[in-house]
Amino acid sequence: MNSKSEKISTEEDNSENLEEKVQVYNELKSKIEILDILFHPSENNVLNVALINGKLKIYDVSKAKKRLISAQKIHKKSIRKISFPANNSNIVFTASKDKSIKLTDIKQESNILTLEDAHESPINCLVTIDNWLIASADDDGGVKIWDYRKKNACMESKSDCSDYISDLAVSNDKKILLATCGEGTLNAFHIRKKKLELQSELMDSELLCVGIMKGDRKVVCGTGEGVIDIFNYGEWGNISDRFPGHPSSIDCMATLSDNIVLTGCFDGNIRACHILPNRFVGVVGNHEGFPIHKLNLSSDKNVCASLCHDHKIKFWNVESLKNKNIDAQSKSKNKSLKNKKLTAKGKSENFFSDLVEDNEEDEDEINNSSDDESDDSEYSSSDESD
């Protein structure tokens, strides 16, 4: 997992300047385990952090030393997911291992709504559908759609999935709710009809994350074997294409544009991938071999926050990738680019990379210089000790 061949090549004398260009903000390190991160829908420098102790903390991440805006104890057990309503950025939904869903006013620090025992099993997925509807899913495959004005579920699916739900996504027209399952299926629920529309065939590996791209024409799923499974929208029975090449499982993803998806891999790298044609653009950033747990984009999609199992959150400049478009006739360099670090302009770090053959580029890959450990303590949040 942490072999030299999977590290990013870099010139020793240029590594510091490159890091300064790509990392927008200094990293945030927590002493308490973080389970989810979510940028504020209108403030690009404000990040919501869900902790294993049931607290929701909000930071201004643009400061060199992160400024804690608020800290609220919301749940008895860990907060697993955060989601903002579509029509109000001052309130936030949280889902917990204690099986409850809560709606909290983050300005007034007060509870608005509590759905106790919303699921029979701990909740691990939560997504906003529209102004009044939310969807949630649990560890045993249960999926529910809620009208939170009525405080009850308007759709419930208990037996369609036999394993945990790993991720949820909603189509832009708000008609379809997609759920990836650990058993290896993609499940499409019709929101208005309040029922399962179709479940895919069992894939070769578990499906761990899902995204919608190409103007709602393609659905991409990250798998445990490191392949991106691609579905035609509306044709949920089986995949239409596969994008192999990741060295290990794709644990999370964030759709940056209709063409580019960012993947968080078990090997600790965040890769930019172009879909159809399927090409590796390069490595946006990395966590020195620690698995990537979550990715989240700022509202303007210029910054990607990455959460790692070492309790660190890093912030990467992805603005230059938003308009990236690769010609289908261009020669694939997936073998070399999947581990090449990108500069702030979205180009491969090696200036002469176009003049080097793929096999020569592989031989030139060397280890990244590791970050100075003293920097971690400088940016750590002292308030996490409680």
Side-chain angles (χ1 to χ4, degrees):
M1 179 185 71
N2 201 16
S3 63
K4 289 184 178 181
S5 63
E6 294 172 17
K7 291 285 186 179
I8 307 157
S9 68
T10 183
E11 301 271 348
E12 185 176 353
D13 55 348
N14 290 334
S15 60
E16 184 176 352
N17 292 333
L18 180 65
E19 193 75 9
E20 289 175 358
K21 289 180 181 179
V22 177
Q23 282 211 61
V24 183
Y25 308 129
N26 293 322
E27 68 183 30
L28 170 65
K29 185 176 181 181
S30 171
K31 296 178 181 178
I32 306 296
E33 185 176 356
I34 303 170
L35 298 183
D36 196 21
I37 53 175
L38 184 66
F39 274 106
H40 191 276
S42 59
E43 299 180 50
N44 296 314
N45 61 321
V46 175
L47 187 73
N48 293 261
V49 177
L51 300 176
I52 197 170
N53 60 5
K55 284 186 177 182
L56 176 69
K57 296 196 172 184
I58 305 174
Y59 290 93
D60 179 351
V61 297
S62 63
K63 308 298 181 182
K65 189 171 184 179
K66 305 295 179 262
R67 182 172 70 88
L68 181 66
I69 298 174
S70 71
Q72 305 173 51
K73 175 75 172 180
I74 296 178
H75 290 271
K76 298 175 183 177
K77 295 184 179 181
S78 59
I79 300 176
R80 289 182 165 186
K81 289 296 292 184
I82 318 167
S83 184
F84 279 96
N87 59 348
N88 192 337
S89 61
N90 292 324
I91 58 178
V92 64
F93 285 105
T94 52
S96 173
K97 186 180 178 181
D98 64 16
K99 307 174 186 178
S100 71
I101 298 173
K102 292 191 177 185
L103 180 62
T104 303
D105 188 320
I106 55 179
K107 294 291 186 180
Q108 302 296 325
E109 298 191 5
S110 60
N111 176 265
I112 298 173
L113 172 69
T114 298
L115 301 173
E116 295 286 358
D117 296 320
H119 282 252
E120 296 178 2
S121 303
I123 304 168
N124 63 345
C125 291
L126 183 70
V127 67
T128 299
I129 297 174
D130 60 21
N131 290 346
W132 307 113
L133 296 180
I134 59 172
S136 57
D138 61 43
D139 288 346
D140 289 329
V143 178
K144 292 186 179 184
I145 296 177
W146 303 83
D147 184 336
Y148 63 88
R149 295 169 297 181
K150 300 178 180 179
K151 299 184 181 182
N152 57 9
C154 54
M155 190 210 79
E156 186 172 355
S157 170
K158 292 183 178 180
S159 58
D160 295 314
C161 303
S162 61
D163 207 340
Y164 69 97
I165 302 298
S166 55
D167 199 9
L168 296 173
V170 179
S171 61
N172 288 328
D173 60 10
K174 313 300 181 186
K175 291 182 179 180
I176 298 294
L177 171 69
L178 298 174
T180 48
C181 183
E183 67 187 1
T185 60
L186 175 67
N187 302 268
F189 296 91
H190 199 289
I191 295 172
R192 293 179 182 175
K193 294 180 180 178
K194 300 177 175 62
K195 67 176 185 179
L196 177 70
E197 185 170 277
L198 194 66
Q199 183 181 70
S200 74
E201 296 181 8
L202 284 170
M203 300 295 108
D204 295 334
S205 176
E206 67 268 37
L207 301 186
L208 302 176
C209 48
V210 61
I212 303 175
M213 303 180 67
K214 300 290 183 179
D216 270 13
R217 291 183 290 112
K218 298 291 180 179
V219 172
V220 291
C221 299
T223 71
E225 62 180 359
V227 174
I228 299 177
D229 283 346
I230 304 174
F231 291 81
N232 288 329
Y233 187 89
E235 300 175 8
W236 314 117
N238 209 337
I239 59 174
S240 62
D241 200 0
R242 298 173 83 247
F243 184 174
H246 289 75
S248 50
S249 64
I250 303 168
D251 295 335
C252 54
M253 60 173 47
T255 52
L256 182 63
S257 68
D258 271 351
N259 295 321
I260 302 294
V261 60
L262 305 178
T263 59
C265 192
F266 191 81
D267 70 346
N269 286 328
I270 303 145
R271 292 176 172 86
C273 303
H274 189 284
I275 302 298
L276 300 176
N278 300 332
R279 302 282 193 272
F280 283 106
V281 180
V283 173
V284 172
N286 74 94
H287 281 259
E288 295 81 44
F290 288 95
I292 308 298
H293 181 52
K294 297 284 183 183
L295 295 177
N296 188 246
L297 293 167
S298 58
S299 59
D300 59 7
K301 294 195 172 184
N302 289 338
V303 178
C304 177
S306 59
L307 170 63
C308 182
H309 286 280
D310 63 356
H311 308 168
K312 289 180 182 178
I313 303 171
K314 294 187 177 184
F315 304 90
W316 311 97
N317 183 357
V318 293
E319 182 179 5
S320 61
L321 296 172
K322 290 193 295 185
N323 298 319
K324 185 77 172 180
N325 190 17
I326 295 178
D327 187 352
Q329 303 301 318
S330 63
K331 181 182 177 182
S332 172
K333 293 188 177 182
N334 281 352
K335 188 175 180 181
S336 58
L337 290 181
K338 70 179 179 181
N339 290 322
K340 285 287 184 181
K341 191 162 188 177
L342 296 174
T343 66
K345 294 182 179 181
K347 296 181 180 180
S348 179
E349 185 186 356
N350 184 357
F351 180 80
F352 298 102
S353 60
D354 289 337
L355 304 179
V356 184
E357 294 297 326
D358 288 353
N359 59 347
E360 293 176 351
E361 289 175 342
D362 290 342
E363 294 174 359
D364 288 340
E365 290 180 353
I366 59 175
N367 286 333
N368 250 347
S369 57
S370 59
D371 294 337
D372 188 349
E373 293 182 359
S374 63
D375 290 343
D376 292 343
S377 59
E378 180 181 354
Y379 306 128
S380 297
S381 300
S382 59
D383 64 287
E384 298 291 2
S385 60
D386 49 276

